[in-house]
Amino acid sequence: MMRIRRRLPPAVLGGAFLFLCLAGCAGHGASFGKIESDLVRHRPDLALQDLDDRGGGGKSEVLYRLDRGMILRMAGDFEGSNFEFETAKAEIEALSAVSVTENVTSLLINDRTRAFEGEPFEQVMVHVFEALNYLELGEPDEARVEALQVDVRLRALTEASSDDLLASDPFARYLAGLIYEDLGERSDALIAYRLAFEAYRAHGRRYSIEVPPVLVDDLLRLTAWAGLTEEFERYRARFGRSVDMPRGLDAEEGELVFVLLDGFAPVKREDAVTLPAPNGLLVRVAVPRYEVSPPGVAAARVTIAGRAGRTQVVENINGLALHTLAARLPGITVRAVARAAVKFTAARQAQKKNELAGLLLNLVAVVAERADTRSWLTLPGEIQLVRVAAPPGVHRPVLELLGPAGGVIDTVELPAVEIRPGRKTFVTYHCLSP
Amino acid sequence: MAFSLSLLGGCATKVTRLDTADTVDLSGAWNDTDSRMVSDEMIADMLERAWLGQYVARTGNPPAVIVGEIRNLSHEHINVNTFVGDIERALINSGRVEFVASKTERLEIREERKDQDLNAREDTRKPMGRELGADFMLKGVINTIIDASGKTQVRFYQVDLTLISLVDNRKVWVGQKKIKKLVERSKLRS
């Protein structure tokens, strides 16, 4: 057998280089486009089919379950959605153990061979959406279980990570507070609201999120109820307002809590660099980058029994996702560079024995270098909330979707809800198209 | 070929039937063993106490008990219905108390009675207003405390049951059962 010693012509190398640049375009985000368009057209049934066609299972089992859970929720099947979320939770739990084979494989091929566990905020969001499902099913005790699980999860995250932002989620805490208050557990609610307040302030320093005025009202109300005058005065001085006591506590009226789930979470794209290396070999490093999707609407106004309220931003998932990736990027980059070094060394060794084999190995290794662009795309980009008091009885709330200038884009009649005295009724709405 | 068939045999799903009294703890979460253990022990305790003897001595009849709300205030989505089922079974099988249908069960029974009123034969019709009113209501709460560090977790369950007299709201019996589990998850996986 003749050994091929001559170098490959530059044209072949150039062609390979071009191919690699183009190969970087497809990713997880691209395959989501069809599902997104199904959801925008209000066809969650088609979206489920497309999700199944895209395939799941194996290393992306958790992601499949999360997307399925969210789409079922959009279709109104809260129980089915909860089943998917519970399965995802059990899988995330199982994946929390370290896999030696996965670590080794990802160092040889790429990060996509690792099982998808979800970013910390995605793991917390599973509990948030399961809680919202239970609230809409009228099972506040089960939602309370989720609020407790959020606490356990956040404590575990605090232990695991050094970045305190990754281990806190302001909306998760605020929702827990609402659940406790609905069940009459005001002390627990006050603790949850305080934690939410601290989380909003901490997060607000890193990305755009403010303490929602509705939380300030809750803090003022509950500190006044608990007799914590010093804390009450602190909030009053800081935010320059007060609330009447005891509004909404032992009231004869109930409350509609409307949650607007706006747009889609940001998509991960790939940022790749392919450089020529000595001996005709190539080196490629690929890392993920978030691309923020446009929001559905700027805000919404809900009218029930003649009273209206405008939604406020309570969670900026876009900002949270960007910050989480920025915190994790150094680790991802180090791993990618190490991987490039391993691949280069392997190709160099092969090249010493057989020029062509070395070049082919290098080509395969470089083509396989892809960033892990998997993320929970059916999450909303932003969560907004408004609470409107209403007299007990059955009402039909009206939802107005507002544009950036405050003009009404669309009006939606929501299904009838029952308002019970002294209790909250939760309604969520997914707004998907700009 | 026999070798390859035997290899394939290892791929099929394996089902082993267990006795319902066997204890198999898989994930550390609340399971059927916990439910049975708690209900058997607590009901046994309840039936030994003074309130039963006092009631029978006073009225001459066994008391009628109804199961009210058992609230799940724990960290897990516990299926409270199986727990309630275990309690009911333990109570009825003891033969010392009478048991009446709970609030949700009654709805269907009343529907049936109403239907019989219209459709059943005169001599087989069961008239309304002849239900046995309960004398005591059993209410309960399941609480948990979770302490976790890394892969180790200590789960503490506390089940509190209260027997309340429907005549005058007196609590005639309070039972408590604690379960503590140490759950160690593996640090490595395949």
Side-chain angles (χ1 to χ4, degrees):
Chain A
M1 208 165 20
M2 226 169 53
R3 284 191 72 190
I4 302 164
R5 280 188 177 272
R6 58 189 161 81
R7 292 170 67 106
L8 285 176
V12 175
L13 276 176
F17 190 74
L18 195 62
F19 168 67
L20 288 170
C21 292
L22 290 172
C25 294
H28 179 83
S31 63
F32 183 68
K34 197 151 186 300
I35 298 174
E36 189 179 323
S37 71
D38 286 331
L39 292 173
V40 165
R41 287 181 299 133
H42 300 287
R43 294 300 305 273
D45 50 326
L46 289 180
L48 281 171
Q49 271 176 29
D50 287 329
L51 184 69
D52 281 332
D53 290 340
R54 194 180 72 177
K59 299 294 179 193
S60 300
E61 172 75 7
V62 170
L63 188 54
Y64 172 72
R65 295 286 176 190
L66 292 178
D67 279 325
R68 221 181 127 77
M70 189 62 90
I71 297 174
L72 282 169
R73 152 165 245 288
M74 289 176 183
D77 180 7
F78 298 121
E79 269 144 10
S81 172
N82 279 341
F83 174 76
E84 301 294 336
F85 287 145
E86 281 293 317
T87 315
K89 273 198 248 171
E91 188 63 25
I92 291 173
E93 192 75 24
L95 291 174
S96 65
V98 168
S99 167
V100 174
T101 47
E102 252 181 35
N103 275 328
V104 168
T105 320
S106 76
L107 201 58
L108 295 176
I109 305 177
N110 62 32
D111 267 348
R112 288 193 196 174
T113 56
R114 298 169 87 97
F116 177 82
E117 280 180 85
E119 304 283 356
F121 77 89
E122 286 170 341
Q123 292 176 352
V124 174
M125 281 292 141
V126 182
H127 296 288
V128 166
F129 281 95
E130 208 174 322
L132 287 172
N133 284 347
Y134 280 120
L135 288 168
E136 287 199 85
L137 284 169
E139 295 177 37
D141 273 352
E142 299 300 318
R144 187 185 183 282
V145 172
E146 290 302 317
L148 290 177
Q149 286 186 2
V150 162
D151 192 52
V152 173
R153 165 78 56 195
L154 288 172
R155 269 191 271 154
L157 286 173
T158 310
E159 236 185 60
S161 89
S162 51
D163 185 344
D164 59 330
L165 231 68
L166 296 181
S168 67
D169 190 309
F171 179 61
R173 293 289 190 193
Y174 184 57
L175 184 64
L178 288 174
I179 294 170
Y180 291 133
E181 206 182 341
D182 185 37
L183 291 167
E185 298 169 38
R186 290 178 202 146
S187 324
D188 288 321
L190 179 55
I191 293 170
Y193 289 146
R194 277 192 197 134
L195 288 167
F197 179 68
E198 281 160 35
Y200 276 115
R201 285 209 321 196
H203 284 238
R205 280 181 231 138
R206 311 282 186 89
Y207 61 87
S208 161
I209 183 81
E210 282 168 17
V211 180
V214 69
L215 173 60
V216 176
D217 287 341
D218 290 324
L219 285 166
L220 286 167
R221 207 159 30 87
L222 283 182
T223 45
W225 163 79
L228 299 164
T229 23
E230 205 183 288
E231 201 176 332
F232 177 85
E233 286 304 320
R234 259 210 322 272
Y235 293 129
R236 200 166 69 90
R238 189 197 171 93
F239 292 99
R241 68 171 186 281
S242 184
V243 279
D244 300 319
M245 261 292 293
R247 190 196 78 89
L249 278 181
D250 298 300
E252 287 114 28
E253 292 196 324
E255 194 173 64
L256 172 71
V257 181
F258 176 77
V259 182
L260 179 72
L261 303 160
D262 199 4
F264 288 106
V267 182
K268 275 184 182 163
R269 303 275 184 220
E270 191 177 74
D271 266 345
V273 161
T274 311
L275 298 166
N279 293 95
L281 297 175
L282 296 168
V283 157
R284 180 178 160 98
V285 170
V287 293
R289 156 187 59 93
Y290 268 122
E291 191 182 274
V292 174
S293 309
V297 287
R301 189 165 50 228
V302 174
T303 314
I304 180 169
R307 303 179 209 178
R310 194 190 152 109
T311 56
Q312 307 158 10
V313 177
V314 287
E315 184 93 309
N316 179 358
I317 293 181
N318 290 323
L320 189 50
L322 287 166
H323 174 82
T324 305
L325 185 59
R328 302 243 316 223
L329 206 52
I332 297 174
T333 314
V334 161
R335 233 187 4 253
V337 167
R339 193 162 45 237
V342 164
K343 287 179 176 176
F344 175 78
T345 315
R348 188 85 190 88
Q349 297 298 325
Q351 202 182 35
K352 285 188 186 142
K353 301 207 185 84
N354 181 332
E355 177 86 23
L356 189 61
L359 286 172
L360 279 175
L361 181 62
N362 182 235
L363 202 65
V364 163
V366 165
V367 166
E369 180 64 23
R370 309 298 307 280
D372 188 2
T373 51
R374 296 175 295 183
S375 68
W376 187 5
L377 291 170
T378 42
L379 265 183
E382 206 176 63
I383 303 181
Q384 299 196 17
L385 183 144
V386 66
R387 291 158 62 175
V388 187
V394 177
H395 304 277
R396 291 211 66 149
V398 173
L399 170 68
E400 288 168 298
L401 300 169
L402 307 172
V408 177
I409 301 175
D410 200 7
T411 307
V412 179
E413 260 210 40
L414 296 172
V417 292
E418 194 196 337
I419 303 288
R420 291 157 298 154
R423 301 298 302 271
K424 301 187 200 308
T425 305
F426 288 80
V427 171
T428 64
Y429 183 81
H430 290 263
C431 177
L432 299 171
S433 52
Chain B
M1 166 133 152
F3 182 64
S4 49
L5 276 177
S6 65
L7 280 179
L8 284 172
C11 303
T13 310
K14 198 164 154 220
V15 174
T16 314
R17 284 194 181 255
L18 301 171
D19 188 77
T20 48
D22 285 349
T23 300
V24 179
D25 293 319
L26 293 171
S27 68
W30 175 275
N31 61 15
D32 63 311
T33 310
D34 294 311
S35 179
R36 211 180 41 246
M37 199 161 74
V38 172
S39 58
D40 286 346
E41 282 183 36
M42 291 184 84
I43 298 306
D45 178 66
M46 186 176 101
L47 295 171
E48 275 170 26
R49 300 290 173 177
W51 68 276
L52 184 56
Q54 285 168 3
Y55 184 85
V56 173
R58 199 171 62 241
T59 60
N61 294 321
V65 175
I66 188 173
V67 174
E69 198 190 4
I70 310 257
R71 275 191 81 192
N72 173 18
L73 295 180
S74 75
H75 286 80
E76 294 168 34
H77 292 289
I78 294 176
N79 187 351
V80 173
N81 294 329
T82 48
F83 181 58
V84 168
D86 282 334
I87 294 179
E88 289 181 0
R89 193 179 43 83
L91 277 175
I92 294 175
N93 291 347
S94 75
R96 298 176 57 200
V97 304
E98 292 205 316
F99 212 80
V100 292
S102 69
K103 194 161 79 168
T104 36
E105 290 164 344
R106 280 197 308 239
L107 287 172
E108 199 191 344
I109 297 171
R110 285 173 184 172
E111 294 274 321
E112 177 61 25
R113 245 183 245 126
K114 204 154 92 171
D115 185 83
Q116 278 192 7
D117 214 19
L118 294 168
N119 301 316
R121 216 170 58 212
E122 180 80 47
D123 53 334
T124 57
R125 216 176 278 168
K126 307 292 176 299
M128 315 247 266
R130 302 276 306 274
E131 289 175 10
L132 177 65
D135 301 304
F136 296 96
M137 181 182 261
L138 185 64
K139 287 170 71 68
V141 154
I142 304 177
N143 272 302
T144 47
I145 301 178
I146 303 229
D147 192 14
S149 174
K151 295 272 173 263
T152 316
Q153 211 184 50
V154 173
R155 291 178 168 210
F156 176 80
Y157 297 85
Q158 183 167 306
V159 183
D160 293 288
L161 291 181
T162 316
L163 195 63
I164 304 171
S165 162
L166 283 167
V167 172
D168 48 12
N169 274 4
R170 266 182 313 135
K171 290 190 181 183
V172 298
W173 171 82
V174 171
Q176 194 182 77
K177 171 100 183 106
K178 301 180 201 207
I179 298 175
K180 200 158 167 176
K181 297 182 190 175
L182 175 67
V183 181
E184 288 163 306
R185 275 177 286 133
S186 74
K187 295 189 173 59
L188 294 177
R189 62 181 167 93
S190 62

